[in-house]
Amino acid sequence: VAGSSVPTFTAEIEVDMTGCIRLRSDLNEHFKGIKFSYNDIIAKCVAIAAGDYPLVNASFTDRGIRIFRSVNIGLAVSLEQGLVVPVVCDVRGKDIASLAEANAANIAQVRTGKFDPKILENGTLTISNIGKYPITRFTAILNSPQSCILAVSSIQSRGVWVNGHLREQPTAVINGTFDHRVIDGRDGAEFLTGLKELLENPALIFIR
């Protein structure tokens, strides 16, 4: 199905990244030989949230909506010759260390320019993160036939009011683009809300 023919809608949510920053720092301090990125933590949270809201891990087909059991997350990587999306399969079933190693291996492989095209196959959901640039929000184009792609912005320091007091908060905007034939506004909003809860309390990934 051509992406331009798919009816889509977008929704965005702001996430307090304090917990993710702390968790990433702790993981990198205690796990020698593995370098953890925000993408690893985000992908793990996305996979758990997709288990709670399975329509985001689905495709629209001629026979109806196909929901996938395995959450196979593609991570968009920008190369000089264009964008490629290597996939890690069964992210929900992987621990965070195994996921970090798989993502790092995929990214290193595609950046050589010589890689097995099979690592680009079987994705069921995509994450596009341009956090290294000072972009506050953006919308990603749906990677058909997937029903959801998430666009993750940079982490920006913002002032927020909490219990009558102004405090500094590291905030990222996550924008979801959804296939409207599969996901309606309520489902998209509930998924993003569930994802926000996980990202703001990322220790939950160790018990989910």
Side-chain angles (χ1 to χ4, degrees):
V1 179
S4 60
S5 67
V6 176
T8 63
F9 74 95
T10 63
E12 68 176 39
I13 198 163
E14 293 188 353
V15 177
D16 178 355
M17 295 295 285
T18 303
C20 286
I21 293 170
R22 184 182 303 116
L23 176 59
R24 177 175 178 262
S25 176
D26 289 346
L27 289 171
N28 281 323
E29 182 178 348
H30 292 96
F31 281 81
K32 303 306 178 185
I34 303 175
K35 185 172 177 59
F36 294 86
S37 72
Y38 290 116
N39 284 327
D40 304 322
I41 298 170
I42 292 168
K44 185 63 178 177
C45 290
V46 167
I48 295 169
D52 296 333
Y53 303 96
L55 288 175
V56 302
N57 194 56
S59 289
F60 183 85
T61 74
D62 293 339
R63 297 183 178 182
I65 296 171
R66 180 184 178 190
I67 296 176
F68 301 99
R69 292 182 181 179
S70 178
V71 184
N72 304 335
I73 295 182
L75 186 63
V77 179
S78 180
L79 305 177
E80 285 190 8
Q81 60 268 39
L83 200 68
V84 295
V85 186
V87 175
V88 175
C89 293
D90 190 24
V91 173
R92 198 165 56 209
K94 285 181 168 57
D95 61 51
I96 190 70
S98 298
L99 175 58
E101 289 178 321
N103 272 330
N106 276 356
I107 292 169
Q109 189 177 158
V110 298
R111 282 185 174 160
T112 66
K114 300 177 181 179
F115 55 88
D116 186 342
K118 289 184 177 179
I119 69 171
L120 308 180
E121 298 175 354
N122 302 314
T124 60
L125 199 156
T126 298
I127 297 171
S128 180
N129 187 339
I130 56 172
K132 70 176 183 177
Y133 301 104
I135 304 300
T136 55
R137 50 179 35 86
F138 73 106
T139 302
I141 299 171
L142 193 65
N143 189 11
S144 293
Q146 297 173 19
S147 65
C148 172
I149 185 170
L150 297 173
V152 183
S153 74
S154 62
I155 298 174
Q156 303 275 335
S157 182
R158 298 185 183 173
V160 296
W161 287 98
V162 179
N163 298 323
H165 298 280
L166 185 65
R167 72 174 179 87
E168 190 175 5
Q169 174 181 293
T171 303
V173 174
I174 297 181
N175 186 303
T177 300
F178 304 98
D179 184 339
H180 210 337
R181 300 169 302 177
V182 179
I183 302 164
D184 63 21
R186 183 190 67 180
D187 291 331
E190 288 182 350
F191 165 68
L192 289 175
T193 301
L195 176 59
K196 173 184 169 74
E197 181 180 356
L198 286 165
L199 288 169
E200 292 185 347
N201 301 278
L204 292 173
I205 66 177
F206 299 106
I207 59 173
R208 297 283 312 271

